[in-house]
Amino acid sequence: MVGLFQESGPCEVVEIARGVWGTKARDWGWDRSSNILFIDQPNQVGFSYDTPTNGSLNLLTTAGVQFPPSTVPQGQPAYSFLNGTFSSYNGTATANTTEISAMAIWHMLQGFLSAFPQYNPGTQPNSTQAGSVGINLFAESYGGKYGPTFAALWQQQNLLRKNGSIPLNSTLEIRLKSLGIMQGCVDDLIQAPFYPIFANNNTYGIQALSSTDQQTAANSFLSSGGCQQQILSCRNAATSLDPQDEGDVASVNQICKAAQTNCNENVLGPYAESGKSVYDIAHEDPDPFPPSAYIEYLNTASLQQAIGVTINYTESNSAVANAFIATGDNERGNQVSELAGLLSQNVRIALIYGDRDYICNWLGGQAVSYSVASQSSSHGPFYSAGYADIIVNSSYIGGSVREYGNLSFSRVYDAGHLVPAYQPETAFTIFTRVIMGTDIATGETVNLGTFGSQGNANSTHTNSAPASPDPTCWIRNIANTCTDEQKVMIQEGEGVVIDGVLYSQASDWSSPASSIATQAGVPGTLPTAMTATIAVMTGSGSASASATSSTGMATGVYVATGPITTKKSVGSSGKDSSLILLRLMLGLLISFVAWI
């Protein structure tokens, strides 16, 4: 739901009037280029559940849901203690490793596409027979672990179908065309050294970590018994004793969890002392961007009745996060090799990173791209390819990209962790060019078998950091959006809460512009001025670079025909390790495109 409502979905949540939430069309929603499916996973996160269970959610703590439901603690405001229906929070009733999650999603897609064949891009017009499914998988954040493993498992299942190990007549081929990883934490063995480097020396001139502290963190990674050695010990143990990464060997879990704790505390963790957001080095912590309005919207009775959900929505689930932490899943895996293997199977691999994010920063992402290329015998020229400008429109350069063949690494300027929230047009443009198989820099048609980008050897663009926004305290997201002073206000019953936001006094709230009511709709109604878009498809079934619309809203993607003269990049208007992992476990986005 984070990706759906805060980033790239077709609709964004807006406040229509006091007490009234709705949605309006997102200008750069990725539905302009493809049918898309967002998945809450692993089970028990978001609206997914095992056994609906009544409980209490204390918004002033990070303990999660408490069972059974109880009354409001004495002296605590009623709005900060909510009784509702949730998943069971039983850690044994969800996945605890990326490998287990991958198989669950394969089964989910089999069921979904079988039950709803009209959404199967492999189905031919005027036919009920489904061909192979052309899918573009995009994953974010912890999706750096999910994406490669999910994709590799799908490819493996396809082979098992072909050799008769699993039945052909009751399963569908899931034919992966491209894998996009946005702001992915792929491999700490590669990326962890870049945490202290980025914190100390970045393209915004922000020194969040002193040179002394940077060196200390770097030494910790390399020290005897440090982060690097413990990760290697974890992977050796897993290879020997738990090769399928099922998370059911206690000794392996203990070794891998210890590695994760060491890396988080000694390499990643020192940054917390800076007071900066881990998701945007230019913003102070707590960071109000992007807004948490969607959490309020998803918990309105009208919305829940309209979509028929069984449980209340929460942004994260501590039981699921703790299940993954217990197995040390973050330090397991062989994702880089999986990515290299996908390249050899002609799957397009796009690594996309915003340059203001700390937690999965672009320097580490760039290092991952080099590691992937080094493990692919056909991608040696990736190293000599240059960084080309990503031309988003006739006057805007949104980043730089290194490309060779079906591997690309994009650095998006002025973007934090949730790239599409910061730079929606740039993110949409990259997404569309990836799934169309065109040059990511320009959108032009190229031969990916031999194409390499041209430009500087390094991405050297620098920029000034924007002013950090004032905090907005969202009651349903207190831990991540409220200052210590605001938390005290809540505990002491001070201030007033209007539409989920804490204000010092009612007069601080501003009513939405009257025009919002004509642009937005509420569950069960349409906005007064409904916008419709119609995608144009080429004869081959690929999305065209041009489109028509009943209102003039553009679909498709910009194709550059030459260099531009104006270069412009515009920015957006101390957590513990378990909370960081919990926030990283964002959902998957699967794009269905018919490739006939």
Side-chain angles (χ1 to χ4, degrees), residues 5-365:
F5 285 107
Q6 289 190 311
E7 299 184 80
S8 53
C11 301
E12 58 183 301
V13 174
V14 292
E15 185 183 24
I16 298 175
R18 184 164 179 168
V20 182
W21 290 101
T23 59
K24 70 173 185 177
R26 190 187 302 278
D27 289 341
W28 297 102
W30 290 6
D31 59 306
R32 289 171 49 161
S33 292
S34 171
N35 292 324
I36 52 178
L37 173 68
F38 290 86
I39 302 176
D40 276 338
Q41 67 81 45
N43 188 32
Q44 299 193 47
V45 303
F47 276 131
S48 68
Y49 63 91
D50 56 338
T51 303
T53 308
N54 292 333
S56 299
L57 178 63
N58 190 337
L59 299 174
L60 279 172
T61 73
T62 58
V65 178
Q66 304 165 16
F67 303 101
S70 58
T71 58
V72 180
Q74 186 175 1
Q76 185 169 331
Y79 64 73
S80 66
F81 190 89
L82 308 175
N83 286 324
T85 303
F86 309 90
S87 60
S88 71
Y89 271 65
N90 180 352
T92 64
T94 186
N96 63 356
T97 69
T98 296
E99 287 286 349
I100 293 175
S101 298
M103 184 59 77
I105 293 301
W106 182 83
H107 282 288
M108 175 267 162
L109 284 176
Q110 295 291 315
F112 179 84
L113 293 171
S114 297
F116 302 103
Q118 66 270 34
Y119 298 121
N120 184 344
T123 301
Q124 305 299 311
N126 303 315
S127 171
T128 58
Q129 297 298 314
S132 60
V133 181
I135 279 183
N136 303 280
L137 171 64
F138 278 70
E140 180 176 65
S141 195
Y142 205 83
K145 309 288 288 186
Y146 290 151
T149 300
F150 286 25
L153 182 134
W154 296 351
Q155 299 292 83
Q156 175 187 335
Q157 293 296 96
N158 290 341
L159 291 175
L160 294 177
R161 291 181 75 253
K162 290 179 180 178
N163 67 25
S165 298
I166 58 178
L168 280 172
N169 59 359
S170 60
T171 59
L172 293 170
E173 178 186 4
I174 298 177
R175 182 158 57 101
L176 191 69
K177 302 302 295 182
S178 61
L179 169 62
I181 296 177
M182 298 183 295
Q183 224 65 37
C185 286
V186 179
D187 189 337
D188 270 352
L189 203 57
I190 298 167
Q191 292 172 274
F194 292 94
Y195 285 122
I197 293 173
F198 179 84
N200 175 261
N201 185 14
N202 49 75
T203 57
Y204 291 90
I206 299 172
Q207 191 177 64
L209 207 63
S210 70
S211 297
T212 299
D213 289 339
Q214 176 200 344
Q215 192 60 53
T216 299
N219 291 342
S220 177
F221 177 80
L222 296 170
S223 66
S224 176
C227 175
Q228 181 184 58
Q229 284 192 5
Q230 291 202 25
I231 292 174
L232 292 173
S233 296
C234 160
R235 294 182 184 179
N236 289 336
T239 299
S240 174
L241 302 174
D242 187 12
Q244 301 303 315
D245 277 329
E246 294 180 345
D248 57 357
V249 180
S251 60
V252 176
N253 293 347
Q254 184 177 3
I255 294 170
C256 293
K257 180 181 178 181
Q260 183 172 311
T261 300
N262 182 293
C263 296
N264 284 348
E265 290 182 352
N266 299 311
V267 182
L268 184 154
Y271 175 89
E273 298 299 319
S274 71
K276 300 286 187 180
S277 168
V278 295
Y279 305 113
D280 185 344
I281 197 169
H283 288 185
E284 300 296 323
D285 187 32
D287 185 359
F289 187 84
S292 297
Y294 83 102
I295 306 178
E296 287 293 318
Y297 175 68
L298 293 181
N299 281 291
T300 58
S302 58
L303 180 281
Q304 293 182 348
Q305 291 167 6
I307 64 176
V309 296
T310 302
I311 64 172
N312 293 100
Y313 178 82
T314 52
E315 189 179 49
S316 55
N317 185 305
S318 58
V320 175
N322 289 335
F324 275 71
I325 291 170
T327 63
D329 181 75
N330 192 54
E331 307 308 346
R332 296 176 180 238
N334 195 27
Q335 279 75 18
V336 169
S337 294
E338 289 169 340
L339 288 171
L342 292 167
L343 287 177
S344 69
Q345 298 172 65
N346 297 318
V347 175
R348 292 187 292 275
I349 304 296
L351 305 174
I352 306 160
Y353 287 75
D355 65 4
R356 287 194 347 223
D357 180 37
Y358 167 77
I359 199 64
C360 304
N361 63 70
W362 77 273
L363 297 179

